[in-house]
Amino acid sequence: MFKTNRMLMILMALVLMGALIVGCTPADGNGDEGEVEAETIFISIATGGTGGVYYPLGGAMAKIFNENIEGANANAEATGASIANIQLVEDGDAQLALIQNDISYYAYEGIEMYEDKGKQESVRGMATVYPETIQIVAHGDSGIESVEDMVGKKVAVGDVGSGTEANARQILAAHGITYDDITPDYLSFAEAADNLRDGHIDAAFITAGFPTAAITEITQVSDVKIVPVAQDIVDALKVDYPFYTGVEIPAGTYRGQDDDVNTVAVMAMLVVPADMDEELAYSMTKALFENLDVLAAAHDRGADLKLESALDGMSLPLHPGVQKYFDEVM
Ligand code: GLU
């Protein structure tokens, strides 16, 4: 015990000395007073689970900021996704977040799942990036061919705090199904894939850009199918929730998927805090749009970020620093 304490004290003394030495050294080493080293700018990027698309793209964004913004110390954090990310931005714990455009809209307006909580007004838009497709994956032995067949089944509805979970609820409701009619399981994409493989659940909702790693992996080892959403339901969803668009998952996106699959999609967007320094928001936007190749290399959907479409489906007011960049280049 005594030994440990002594070691600790020596360590602390060393750290203190180190701090003093650093504190006394002129930043540029030439003795000029008043010049300080570029301060560290922490950029925490809120993504989603590791089996999704937000996470690898967030990693690529961190790399871009670290290499192009002086003093940046950017990191991608795994989170519960969209709804959890709104909270992280609201709390000042994330400086950039990937969030579904439907969820950002509900949050900003204080509607849907934000009805009780009220308006979340500290979120601002940077750009919309790529379509996030609601992919319903069912185990081959589950007997599920359509959403209606999910009644009585064990279904992964998305992680707690995910946009996926909201989409699952809305899509089931459009079929007259509630959580009372199924056994809902709140799982990340990776957990859902593992549980589908092991036969512990019958189906999973996954709202993400395709191909989604978690689905690609499960199709390699298990017999699963992608369940379509019928066109009349797609039409009804588009009326009730304006951020849904109709899409098809092209045949061959996943192993064993021989036909195009009809479903709905929302958009992934980049969100920053309203109180972010204007220069920083500007520099981050500029860095991303000047390094699109790094995003494209991280995931197919990274290639979807484009100046021409950056405002398609934008559901939040833009941050003024972002606007400044767009005014300059558009
Ligand atoms: N859109 C998903 C959600 O918010 C996360 C997607 C991803 O991780 O790629 O629930």
Side-chain angles (χ1 to χ4, degrees):
M1 189 64 188
F2 171 69
K3 235 177 152 178
T4 326
N5 278 343
R6 229 181 106 166
M7 289 274 290
L8 254 174
M9 277 175 66
I10 292 172
L11 244 169
M12 277 169 63
L14 280 173
V15 170
L16 203 71
M17 273 169 64
L20 282 174
I21 290 167
V22 170
C24 293
T25 311
D28 54 8
N30 66 10
D32 282 352
E33 281 190 19
E35 271 194 39
V36 279
E37 213 169 334
E39 64 177 298
T40 305
I41 303 167
F42 290 101
I43 304 173
S44 174
I45 305 172
T47 66
T50 53
V53 180
Y54 288 0
Y55 187 72
L57 285 182
M61 289 174 195
K63 182 172 145 70
I64 292 174
F65 299 145
N66 287 333
E67 288 173 0
N68 295 282
I69 298 178
E70 209 189 331
N73 181 344
N75 280 296
E77 312 290 347
T79 73
S82 292
I83 296 176
N85 293 353
I86 293 271
Q87 194 61 47
L88 288 166
V89 174
E90 283 283 327
D91 293 346
D93 291 329
Q95 286 66 48
L96 179 69
L98 285 126
I99 299 179
Q100 293 177 200
N101 67 342
D102 54 339
I103 303 297
S104 322
Y105 181 77
Y106 301 144
Y108 189 74
E109 295 295 329
I111 56 172
E112 290 288 323
M113 65 289 284
Y114 289 94
E115 191 112 34
D116 292 339
K117 236 173 162 190
K119 293 174 177 239
Q120 309 291 299
E121 288 177 317
S122 59
V123 284
R124 291 294 180 274
M126 179 184 272
T128 54
V129 191
Y130 60 89
E132 293 198 82
T133 305
I134 288 82
Q135 304 167 89
I136 306 171
V137 189
H139 197 279
D141 298 336
S142 64
I144 299 175
E145 302 282 341
S146 67
V147 177
E148 286 89 344
D149 296 334
M150 286 181 159
V151 171
K153 304 286 186 186
K154 271 193 105 169
V155 181
V157 292
D159 211 344
V160 176
S162 66
T164 302
E165 195 274 322
N167 300 140
R169 235 173 325 111
Q170 292 165 349
I171 289 164
L172 289 168
H175 292 82
I177 302 171
T178 71
Y179 282 180
D180 291 339
D181 305 315
I182 61 166
T183 307
D185 227 337
Y186 300 85
L187 303 177
S188 71
F189 297 161
E191 290 165 339
D194 287 349
N195 280 277
L196 264 178
R197 182 196 59 217
D198 298 341
H200 295 148
I201 57 169
D202 299 299
F205 280 86
I206 295 198
T207 303
F210 59 70
T212 313
I215 306 180
T216 304
E217 279 159 27
I218 174 98
T219 54
Q220 305 297 337
V221 294
S222 291
D223 170 28
V224 295
K225 61 160 61 87
I226 317 287
V227 178
V229 178
Q231 191 55 44
D232 58 326
I233 301 282
V234 169
D235 294 339
L237 281 165
K238 278 162 52 179
V239 172
D240 289 346
Y241 306 100
F243 290 98
Y244 280 128
T245 52
V247 289
E248 282 192 338
I249 306 168
T253 299
Y254 298 108
R255 195 179 82 92
Q257 183 215 335
D258 300 328
D259 300 309
D260 295 346
V261 177
N262 205 43
T263 183
V264 283
V266 291
M267 289 294 285
M269 65 182 285
L270 295 171
V271 173
V272 291
D275 64 0
M276 173 173 269
D277 174 65
E278 195 172 317
E279 272 313 301
L280 179 57
Y282 170 87
S283 310
M284 285 167 63
T285 318
K286 183 174 159 75
L288 288 182
F289 281 99
E290 289 182 352
N291 291 279
L292 295 174
D293 54 325
V294 178
L295 295 180
H299 191 280
D300 284 1
R301 296 281 70 78
D304 292 351
L305 179 63
K306 294 190 176 78
L307 270 179
E308 313 84 87
S309 56
L311 301 180
D312 294 355
M314 174 54 67
S315 57
L316 292 177
L318 290 187
H319 189 287
V322 173
Q323 186 68 59
K324 183 176 158 200
Y325 176 72
F326 286 153
D327 288 345
E328 228 175 72
V329 292
M330 290 215 232

